Amino acid sequence: MDNSLLVSLSQQLAAYRAMDVIANNLANVSTPGFKREAAKFEEYVAQMRPAEGQTGPQSVSFVKDAGILRDSSQGNVEQTGAPYDVALASQGFFAVQTPAGLRYTRDGHFSLDANGNLVTSQGYQVQGDGGAITITPNDGQINISPDGTISSVVNGVGNQLAKLKVVDFAEAREMTKQGANLYSTTQTPTIPASVTLRQGALEASNVQPVIEISHMIEVMRAYEATATLSKSQEDLMRQAIDKLGQMPA
């Protein structure tokens, strides 16, 4: 295959990958705590055989998929009024117990299950410093302080029930997505120097739809330009073959 066609193909694959990432961002505009991602590409230089009229190996640049970059910037904090919604307005992650082990999330949309356990939207138990957090109907009005302490007031008397476990990691951007807005990592968790939580609120996704749509248009135009170039190259090759076929033997 001609080198120009190979280069065009690598560019089209890169555009397809970038479009897939942008579409996922747009699909999670309303997902609490979701962090925007961007496809990362690198130049890959290969030594190819010379074309007609060239001598010696030729350096050809291809596009190489180098993974995903995650934007960990803070999303807007939006009030919901729900007593068990908790927004992280600082660095860190909530710890969640799943059948596959501990996972981490910034999605603070919590509720109580039938047993009174504080759980995520998927039913996974939210962890406190002492394990699962249980709240009973007799605990009265629940208050979650900015440092994560969960307390109740019964007949004017306050009781500390638990404290939300909030952890952080040295390389948070290298955490692995596990679906359902959860992350896993082999890094050792650390306790953040300071934690700021807000009860009755959620951290919104940091995806900005207008910016994502503009990126999508740019990727589409780049793909179309590359596809047009490939078609022109194929047309030239086809014409050359037709002319060769018309030459007398």
Side-chain angles (χ1 to χ4, degrees):
M1 183 181 290
D2 186 84
N3 290 344
S4 61
L5 292 178
L6 290 173
V7 172
S8 296
L9 178 60
S10 73
Q11 170 62 29
Q12 290 178 55
L13 290 173
Y16 178 85
R17 173 63 169 157
M19 187 68 74
D20 188 49
V21 174
I22 292 171
N24 185 62
N25 288 339
L26 289 172
N28 286 281
V29 166
S30 301
T31 302
F34 180 83
K35 299 303 178 185
R36 176 186 178 275
E37 296 179 332
K40 178 183 177 183
F41 301 103
E42 295 178 348
E43 180 184 25
Y44 176 77
V45 180
Q47 299 299 314
M48 308 293 288
R49 65 183 183 182
E52 184 178 354
Q54 296 176 330
T55 58
Q58 301 296 306
S59 295
V60 181
S61 296
F62 296 91
V63 182
K64 178 183 177 182
D65 187 349
I68 296 292
L69 292 175
R70 186 177 299 123
D71 177 5
S72 59
S73 62
Q74 175 77 38
N76 293 328
V77 174
E78 300 176 349
Q79 296 296 321
T80 66
Y84 299 112
D85 280 351
V86 185
L88 259 173
S90 60
Q91 295 298 314
F93 297 84
F94 298 110
V96 176
Q97 185 65 51
T98 75
L102 277 176
R103 296 293 183 263
Y104 306 95
T105 184
R106 287 186 63 88
D107 184 352
H109 184 43
F110 303 144
S111 60
L112 298 181
D113 65 11
N115 298 318
N117 295 312
L118 189 66
V119 296
T120 66
S121 301
Q122 294 75 34
Y124 301 136
Q125 292 182 351
V126 180
Q127 299 297 287
D129 288 344
I133 299 172
T134 303
I135 298 173
T136 69
N138 296 327
D139 287 325
Q141 182 179 351
I142 300 300
N143 178 67
I144 303 176
S145 66
D147 70 350
T149 299
I150 302 176
S151 58
S152 67
V153 178
V154 180
N155 297 324
V157 179
N159 285 315
Q160 181 174 332
L161 303 178
K163 186 175 182 179
L164 285 166
K165 185 175 183 179
V166 178
V167 297
D168 203 359
F169 301 93
E171 299 294 338
R173 293 185 180 183
E174 295 183 4
M175 298 173 71
T176 304
K177 291 179 67 173
Q178 296 293 333
N181 216 8
L182 299 174
Y183 299 92
S184 67
T185 182
T186 57
Q187 301 176 64
T188 301
T190 60
I191 304 301
S194 63
V195 174
T196 303
L197 303 181
R198 296 185 185 176
Q199 183 181 13
L202 290 174
E203 179 194 9
S205 165
N206 65 357
V207 175
Q208 299 183 47
V210 173
I211 293 178
E212 295 302 315
I213 291 173
S214 66
H215 288 165
M216 179 178 288
I217 293 172
E218 290 174 1
V219 172
M220 289 177 62
R221 288 176 176 171
Y223 180 88
E224 291 171 354
T226 305
T228 300
L229 179 63
S230 297
K231 186 177 184 303
S232 299
Q233 186 70 16
E234 291 172 358
D235 290 342
L236 288 174
M237 293 176 62
R238 188 178 299 107
Q239 292 172 14
I241 292 172
D242 290 343
K243 290 182 178 180
L244 285 173
Q246 294 173 5
M247 295 181 64

